[in-house]
Amino acid sequence: MNDYFTLPDKGMTSEDILALLEQCKKSDAKWQNGRMFGYVYSPETKAVELMTKVNELYLFENALNTSLFPSIAQGEIQIVSIAARLLNGDASVAGSVTSGGTESILLAMKACREYIHKQKPTLKDPEVILPWSVHPAFHKAAQLLGIKAILLPLQNDYRADCNALVRLINEKTILIVGSAPSYSHGVVDPIEEMGKIALERNLFFHVDSCLGGFFLPFMEKLDYKIPLFDFRIPGVTSISADMHKFGYGAKGASVILYRTKELWRSQFFVHCDWPGGLFGCTTFLGSRSGAPIMDALAMLMFHGMEGYMALTNKTMKAVEKLKSGICAIEGLSIVGEPVMCVLAFSSSKKDIYLIGDELHNRGWYIDRIMYPEALHLIITNPNLENTDRFLTDLQQCVKAVRHNTLKRVSAGVGIKLGKKLMTAFPGKTSKLLGLKASGSVDTKQSTGGKSSASFYGIASSIENKTNLNDIVLNYLERTHTAK
Ligand SMILES: *Cc1c(COP(=O)(O)O)cnc(C)c1O
């Protein structure tokens, strides 16, 4: 029997391979049933059919050399131009299509670093100021680029604290960052105020609108009150916006926009001193598929302003229903003031992760956040028909948990438990964290036999996050190693 970890001696038939994949895929999450929040941003069937055809057209085309494939270069220019207009940029705004938010963010930071380096070659150890709530991609980029990340605390409303920002700026600061909105709480940082500070101090200012870039503009057109977050704020120098989120494109497409061409050019990479000819890239990747780029363009064309507005409208109607439904359940409340369809909710009874476990048992895939302890929803197209079911289930989960009189693990006990769990690693890491989707670990705390204390409850009470890093590293290794 082939174990599939070695190259088969003889090739398999297409039928056998497809049958095998279908078999393997049975363990994947069934997002199509609308019970998964986030991760998958899938448009309606007709749009999906279109993307499947576009994928076929561009399966092998390489966007690295756009002189060979000018249609992709053209597609990229169209996407950038459409995004720039949506985000109220003028004719001087320039940018690129990248493989995702992470690459857009990496490039924005690289562009700033290069630009500043040309102007102030003596500046050593540059710093970027990052609100505590920014996406980890900024920390990844800072690590890769050798830029020091300075953490900016949040206000009580989970938005970046501008007073602290002013205090943290020094002569090494090259860039400040705000989110519109943040992943964790779905709130928009005080972009207008931050923009003023950036202008005054002559700093670059990146707005991470990976989630909001293709959603907030349509909300604004639908007359929702949205704080300004785009190029209308003079201090904003770059914006990232993901096509593969609310642009409803296939995975592998995001847009990075800059206020000026000069800043955009600082993102490019050129190397001519090797035997292989002149080499230049606008983005981070070398060879790259044309398919996600052209999928993204197809989605913009397919939906148009009207289509996106209709989708946004439908989504926000569902969000409003979910919000009021959640608040109507005793003890539950929305965290902060989320502006779009990204939000977290917590429980005054301190049992929110247990509620999350119960939801998981009923087939819902829902993320946890650690500060504050809360469950996290990104409401996308597949969820829209499911709001009533979600609220009914949520109500039942809350009841089930409260009947359970399960004692909440105190912070002290949590740390002890956490340490115990860690000494049990690495052997059990993947088993324990394999339950991440349920956010839970069986700690034998249960009174009824099947309820469990939350791994996340423990995780959020551990002060020393380096221990947590080890747990996650072990998890990554184990889940990416053949068993
Ligand atoms: C998703 C996301 C990112 C990172 O984007 P990827 O496409 O996952 O690389 C950055 N910022 C925010 C706010 C996001 O939601």
Side-chain angles (χ1 to χ4, degrees), residues 376-396:
H376 186 260
L377 297 175
I378 297 181
I379 293 99
T380 66
N381 190 45
N383 305 130
L384 302 185
E385 303 300 320
N386 259 347
T387 47
D388 286 331
R389 259 163 81 189
F390 179 76
L391 288 171
T392 314
D393 277 5
L394 178 60
Q395 211 154 14
Q396 284 176 5

Side-chain angles (χ1 to χ4, degrees), residues 349-368:
K349 304 258 168 49
K350 298 273 183 198
D351 53 3
I352 196 69
Y353 294 141
L354 295 176
I355 296 170
D357 290 352
E358 285 294 326
L359 281 168
H360 181 81
N361 292 339
R362 286 168 168 79
W364 297 94
Y365 296 91
I366 186 164
D367 263 358
R368 280 84 176 140

Side-chain angles (χ1 to χ4, degrees), residues 99-103 105 135 137-138 179 181-183 208 210-211 242 244-245 254 378:
S99 61
T102 300
E103 190 186 351
I105 287 162
H135 192 277
F138 287 92
S179 304
S182 65
Y183 167 85
D208 180 17
C210 278
L211 277 172
D242 286 353
H244 65 199
K245 285 177 184 157
S254 168
I378 297 181

